[in-house]
């Protein structure tokens, strides 16, 4: 792998940047691998990278039906935070946060991780009680978190309407200074390039059409490019996880919903942090390019259509304009949807399955992007050792029968 | 935006009057105390979540406030039929598959979707309503 550096940039400028090597190979599938990862999004690529880097398992294929990072990795609102309420979830997301903090160096790829802070607004007394509870829980778990007053909020975000006359007055907020945003495509590309350099085969346009299962044990997958064998298969397919589980002959407690986001025309810098509100239901940040990135809620019905409904867009923009009257004339450029696999307790599933050798990493629902490195890191451990990583253990699929749910609806409800 | 035909109001109304309530035809176990953890967990949490034909429960929240069922395609979002509580769907994945092999896809009158619906299905709905 050609390392990226300032010197390299200067050197390639001499040849008009025409001689950069390709970021990853386009290999033909081999007959057999040690591990197959189904799904070439951020989580799948991160899993492959950490398998190769931390566990020395380099004979790995990532099987992707479209192109790398073309699903939810490219469709989210890029927010990274770890201020979750319960110990189990906080530990998992904070593990990811620590990896985020060194990720650009680790991958030799600028993922543009910008710790600009994330603010969760409270508009009612109950909101504020929940915020205080969550902030206290975060601090006990060693996660930076503070409660802000409306005056402090106004100082950080001068353009927000913090007056008492607002329809839903802002009473306070929780604030995680280490949280922020990252460049979503760069995350997928960075992991892909680094995994490829360690020998992982990234197989694009390769769709899994079935699993090879004998005596309750997986030994490969059927694809549109022929059969590929492996004794360990990890599925990281977000919205399509339920479809894969059906192929393998079991059900998951997931429902797939469209979740949408939209971006505005580019503006001059006006908002240098991330603002989220569960109560009026919208969240917003500004990219380095200047676009406002606005996230909406999920559509209530099941759907695989990768587009959202217009009423949801309207409600979201009402919420944004309510908080930021200054944006009332801003025009929206694009709107899109991703398919999120929501779990009944708003926490992921990182688990063995009834089929031996087949593992699932799914159910991240509306907030998987922030966990990308952590998810890949613990899932790689799980695949390498054949048992759940200690951080993944509470997120076994068994919890839906034992009743040991990790109810994160409060911290995960809207925020991504 | 969906236009949904409420089988009780007998009118096409806009999506915002309705709320989706998940998979239809889920029966609460008759004797919950006698259920194993597996059966109870399956009843509470596990859903079919198909890519394709889905029977789902909706409520006409700001209309007649009654619950009813919709058969909908979760990929094209075409609404294939709506029917009252206690009734069984006329359109199922199996019935559509058998019709398709005969080369004669019929779309029952349940409503229509104005965005992204396949034009063939929309035409079929219009045809049948006319």
């Amino acid at each position: 792998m050609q390392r990226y550096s300032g010197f390299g940039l200067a050197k390639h400028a001499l040849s008009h940047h025409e001689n950069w090597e390709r970021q990853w190979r386009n290999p033909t599938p081999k007959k057999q691998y040690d591990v197959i990862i189904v799904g070439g999004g951020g989580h799948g690529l991160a899993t492959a990278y950490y398998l190769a880097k931390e566990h020395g398992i380099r004979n790995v294929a990532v099987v992707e039906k479209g192109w790398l990072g073309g699903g939810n990795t490219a469709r989210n609102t890029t927010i990274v935070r770890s201020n979750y309420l319960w110990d189990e979830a906080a530990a998992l997301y904070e593990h990811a946060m620590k990896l985020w903090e060194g990720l650009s160096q680790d991958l030799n790829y600028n993922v543009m991780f910008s710790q600009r802070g994330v603010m969760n607004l409270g508009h009612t007394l109950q909101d504020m009680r929940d915020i205080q509870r969550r902030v206290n829980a975060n601090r006990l778990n060693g996660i930076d978190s503070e409660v802000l007053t409306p005056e402090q909020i106004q100082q950080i975000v001068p353009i927000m309407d913090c007056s008492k006359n607002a329809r839903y007055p802002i009473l306070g907020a929780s604030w995680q200074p280490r949280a922020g945003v990252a460049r979503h495509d760069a995350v997928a590309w960075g992991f892909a390039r680094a995994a490829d350099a360690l020998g992982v085969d990234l197989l694009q346009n390769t769709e899994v059409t079935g699993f090879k299962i004998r005596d309750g044990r997986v030994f490969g997958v059927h694809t549109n490019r022929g059969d590929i064998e492996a004794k360990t298969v990890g599925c990281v397919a977000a919205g399509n996880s339920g479809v894969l589980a059906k192929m393998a002959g079991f059900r998951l407690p997931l429902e797939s919903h469209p979740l949408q986001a939209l971006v505005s025309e580019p503006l001059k810098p006006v908002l240098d942090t991330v603002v989220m509100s569960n109560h009026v239901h919208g969240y917003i940040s500004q990219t380095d390019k200047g676009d406002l990135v606005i996230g909406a809620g999920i559509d209530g019905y099941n759907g695989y259509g990768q587009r959202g409904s217009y009423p949801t867009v309207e409600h979201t923009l009402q919420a944004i304009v309510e908080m930021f009257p200054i944006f009332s004339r801003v025009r929206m450029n694009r709107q899109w949807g991703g398919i999120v696999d929501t779990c009944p307790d708003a926490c992921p599933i990182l688990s063995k399955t009834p089929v031996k050798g087949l593992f699932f990493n799914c159910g991240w629902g509306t907030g998987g992007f922030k966990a990308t490195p952590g998810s890949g890191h613990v899932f790689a451990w799980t695949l390498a050792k054949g048992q759940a990583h200690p951080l993944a253990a509470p997120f076994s699929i068994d919890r839906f029968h034992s009743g040991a749910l990790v109810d994160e609806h409060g911290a995960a409800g809207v925020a991504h | 935006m969906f236009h949904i035909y409420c089988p009780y109001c007998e009118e096409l109304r806009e999506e915002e009057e309705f709320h989706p309530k998940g998979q239809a035809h889920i029966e609460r176990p008759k004797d919950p105390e006698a259920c194993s953890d597996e059966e109870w967990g399956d009843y509470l949490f596990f859903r079919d979540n198909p890519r394709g034909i889905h029977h789902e429960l909706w409520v006409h929240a700001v209309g007649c406030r009654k619950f009813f069922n919709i058969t909908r395609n979760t990929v094209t979002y075409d609404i294939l039929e709506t029917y009252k509580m206690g009734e069984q769907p006329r359109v199922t994945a199996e019935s559509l598959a058998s019709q398709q092999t005969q080369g004669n896809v019929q779309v029952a009158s349940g409503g229509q979707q104005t965005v992204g619906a396949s034009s063939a299905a929309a035409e079929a709905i219009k045809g049948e309503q006319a």
Side-chain angles (χ1 to χ4, degrees):
Chain A
M1 180 175 79
Q2 207 171 38
R3 279 191 70 79
Y4 293 154
S5 65
F7 172 72
L9 198 61
K11 193 182 90 183
H12 278 280
L14 299 176
S15 56
H16 306 282
H17 297 292
E18 283 173 355
N19 296 321
W20 288 100
E21 88 180 9
R22 283 187 178 272
Q23 297 200 32
W24 50 81
R25 299 163 292 130
N26 188 17
T28 348
K30 288 193 274 185
K31 284 265 172 278
Q32 201 170 20
Y33 290 92
D34 293 340
V35 179
I36 295 174
I37 313 243
V38 182
H43 289 229
L45 294 166
T47 307
Y49 169 67
Y50 288 116
L51 262 178
K53 182 186 164 221
E54 308 248 316
H55 305 282
I57 302 175
R58 299 184 173 198
N59 188 20
V60 175
V62 176
V63 182
E64 164 57 48
K65 74 172 174 180
W67 60 92
L68 300 179
N72 292 348
T73 304
R75 293 161 191 271
N76 62 77
T77 50
T78 77
I79 297 167
V80 175
R81 61 186 177 89
S82 64
N83 52 353
Y84 276 67
L85 176 65
W86 297 102
D87 294 353
E88 297 86 352
L92 184 59
Y93 289 103
E94 180 61 16
H95 180 59
M97 178 64 87
K98 294 212 168 86
L99 289 169
W100 275 114
E101 287 175 329
L103 196 60
S104 290
Q105 293 301 320
D106 188 23
L107 297 178
N108 180 233
Y109 206 98
N110 186 3
V111 298
M112 297 168 73
F113 181 47
S114 158
Q115 293 176 294
R116 56 183 66 182
V118 169
M119 194 182 281
N120 293 73
L121 300 178
H123 300 267
T124 66
L125 288 176
Q126 187 58 46
D127 275 359
M128 290 314 298
R129 287 185 200 112
D130 291 342
I131 282 172
Q132 274 154 3
R133 180 185 179 205
R134 186 155 49 79
V135 166
N136 285 331
N138 290 159
R139 294 172 82 114
L140 287 172
N141 276 321
I143 295 167
D144 59 322
S145 202
E146 296 167 35
V147 179
L148 298 183
T149 63
E151 292 73 35
Q152 289 171 307
I153 297 171
Q154 190 78 83
Q155 273 193 337
I156 297 172
V157 190
I159 58 168
M160 190 150 58
D161 179 7
C162 294
S163 71
K164 292 199 169 80
N165 298 328
R167 172 71 181 83
Y168 298 100
I170 290 162
L171 302 184
S174 73
W175 170 244
Q176 186 182 16
R178 275 162 72 237
V181 293
R183 171 93 170 93
H184 50 358
D185 293 327
V187 175
W189 298 335
F191 274 120
R193 173 170 165 271
D196 177 84
L198 293 172
V200 172
D201 278 1
L202 308 174
L203 310 174
Q204 303 184 71
N205 298 313
T206 309
E207 182 169 1
V208 169
T209 52
F211 294 97
K212 300 170 83 164
I213 296 170
R214 195 169 48 210
D215 304 330
R217 197 184 157 84
V218 71
F219 63 99
V221 295
H222 302 291
T223 76
N224 58 347
R225 293 171 75 186
D227 292 359
I228 308 175
E229 289 191 358
K231 290 217 165 71
T232 305
V233 178
C235 292
V236 200
N240 284 308
S241 298
V243 178
L244 287 173
K246 197 176 173 195
M247 287 177 195
F250 57 91
R251 292 208 296 176
L252 292 170
L254 298 176
E255 288 198 305
S256 296
H257 292 276
L259 174 69
Q260 59 187 323
L262 48 165
V263 293
S264 74
E265 58 192 340
L267 309 174
K268 288 195 172 178
V270 66
L271 180 65
D272 63 357
T273 183
V274 183
V275 178
M276 312 198 298
S277 167
N278 281 10
H279 193 79
V280 298
H281 216 289
Y283 47 100
I284 187 166
S285 65
Q286 188 174 21
T287 67
D288 294 342
K289 202 170 64 180
D291 318 356
L292 299 173
V293 183
I294 295 170
I298 60 169
D299 289 334
Y301 49 80
N302 289 24
Y304 287 88
Q306 293 194 319
R307 60 180 182 274
S309 68
Y310 289 136
T312 305
V313 174
E314 192 178 355
H315 291 310
T316 302
L317 290 179
Q318 281 166 350
I320 296 300
V321 173
E322 164 70 26
M323 291 189 284
F324 298 94
I326 191 178
F327 293 152
S328 65
R329 302 287 179 91
V330 173
R331 285 167 296 188
M332 292 301 134
N333 240 353
R334 289 180 293 123
Q335 169 253 2
W336 65 90
I339 302 307
V340 297
D341 43 340
T342 56
C343 244
D345 61 355
C347 271
I349 296 172
L350 284 145
S351 181
K352 293 184 200 178
T353 66
V355 180
K356 272 192 202 133
L358 180 62
F359 297 80
F360 267 70
N361 177 357
C362 58
W364 290 92
T366 54
F369 177 73
K370 67 173 82 66
T372 303
S375 158
H377 192 263
V378 298
F379 195 52
W381 198 98
T382 304
L383 292 176
K385 316 254 178 194
Q387 55 176 335
H389 185 281
L391 288 177
F395 301 102
S396 155
I397 196 170
D398 297 339
R399 72 182 192 270
F400 298 98
H401 290 129
S402 70
L405 304 187
V406 187
D407 179 10
E408 279 293 356
H409 282 286
V414 69
H416 313 290
Chain B
M1 172 85 80
F2 292 137
H3 280 168
I4 298 172
Y5 182 82
C6 172
Y8 294 100
C9 300
E10 302 183 340
E11 274 180 46
L12 279 169
R13 310 290 297 182
E14 286 187 357
E15 177 182 344
E16 281 184 287
E17 294 190 8
F18 301 86
H19 288 309
K21 293 288 178 185
Q23 188 178 332
H25 306 299
I26 292 174
E27 209 173 315
R28 184 183 161 90
K30 293 237 162 31
D31 183 6
E33 297 295 327
C35 282
S36 67
D37 287 351
E38 274 65 34
E39 288 165 343
W40 188 245
D42 284 354
Y43 159 67
L44 281 183
F45 300 124
F46 286 72
R47 299 292 179 260
D48 288 342
N49 197 26
R51 193 185 171 96
I53 303 299
H54 190 227
H55 306 290
E56 50 197 22
L57 188 64
W58 286 65
V59 59
H60 196 177
V62 295
C64 62
R65 302 183 65 185
K66 286 186 175 140
F67 284 81
F68 63 96
N69 300 310
I70 292 182
T71 302
R72 197 172 56 87
N73 186 315
T74 59
V75 180
T76 64
Y77 295 178
D78 290 337
I79 293 172
L80 303 177
E81 63 172 338
T82 63
Y83 53 102
K84 293 178 183 173
M85 294 302 292
E87 294 178 358
Q88 289 300 312
R90 284 187 295 154
V91 186
T92 61
E94 294 75 35
S95 76
L96 277 184
S98 66
Q99 277 178 3
Q100 239 157 12
T101 51
Q102 295 161 13
N104 174 27
V105 182
Q106 278 220 326
V107 182
S109 158
Q112 65 192 77
Q113 194 207 352
T114 50
V115 181
S118 71
S119 57
E123 288 304 312
I125 290 169
K126 275 185 207 145
E128 209 172 87
Q129 277 164 355

